[in-house]
Amino acid sequence: MEPAHTDVTRLQLHEPSRCQTVSGVLARIGDKWSVLVVMQLGSGPRRFSELKRSIGSISQRMLTLTLRGLERDGLVTRTVTPSIPPRVDYELTGLGRSLLDPVQAIGAWAVDNHERITRARQAFDDRSA
């Protein structure tokens, strides 16, 4: 039997320095708010209020923190247009757009498997009770 994913083992992702690199990036792009913001910005630039409305359950503070983190990591740009009140638009960078396919694939997987996961959780809880 031959391993199917030798590319992963060749990269030696198990080395501590690589684990730290991967976990640092996943901490940013793996949280639910970052995923939702990236998905929303996938259709083009959005204003803060548009993002807040489209995501719904996110607080203003959490959206601000998420956008700052994504901007800091080079995934999002923030453009201020001088007006009264000032207009602020957020848009994915090239790096942010390169994240769209994996994020959308994970989102589709979550939707496709939601019922199976719910049943598995219920079965586990029933066994544990």
Side-chain angles (χ1 to χ4, degrees):
M1 187 152 114
E2 293 183 26
H5 297 288
T6 56
D7 55 332
V8 173
T9 55
R10 263 187 271 126
L11 288 174
Q12 299 178 353
L13 292 176
H14 61 279
E15 291 180 3
S17 63
R18 292 198 187 255
C19 288
Q20 291 170 348
T21 299
V22 170
S23 67
V25 171
L26 287 179
R28 166 64 53 223
I29 64 171
D31 75 84
K32 72 177 180 177
W33 300 123
S34 292
V35 168
L36 291 172
V37 168
V38 167
M39 289 177 73
Q40 290 299 316
L41 291 176
S43 59
R46 293 281 193 79
R47 295 179 78 170
F48 184 92
S49 57
E50 291 175 303
L51 285 169
K52 179 142 178 24
R53 263 194 314 277
S54 64
I55 295 172
S57 58
I58 191 170
S59 70
Q60 183 168 334
R61 180 179 186 282
M62 186 52 66
L63 180 56
T64 299
L65 292 173
T66 300
L67 287 165
R68 281 187 190 156
L70 291 169
E71 184 180 10
R72 180 174 183 249
D73 288 348
L75 301 170
V76 168
T77 59
R78 179 179 185 266
T79 305
V80 179
T81 305
S83 61
I84 300 176
R87 178 186 172 111
V88 180
D89 292 293
Y90 295 90
E91 184 174 11
L92 292 176
T93 63
L95 182 60
R97 280 191 298 280
S98 73
L99 183 59
L100 270 177
D101 285 342
V103 163
Q104 288 172 337
I106 290 169
W109 181 90
V111 169
D112 291 347
N113 291 286
H114 175 73
E115 289 181 25
R116 291 174 64 192
I117 292 169
T118 300
R119 286 193 304 272
R121 287 177 180 169
Q122 187 61 53
F124 179 89
D125 292 347
D126 290 348
R127 287 190 310 271
S128 299

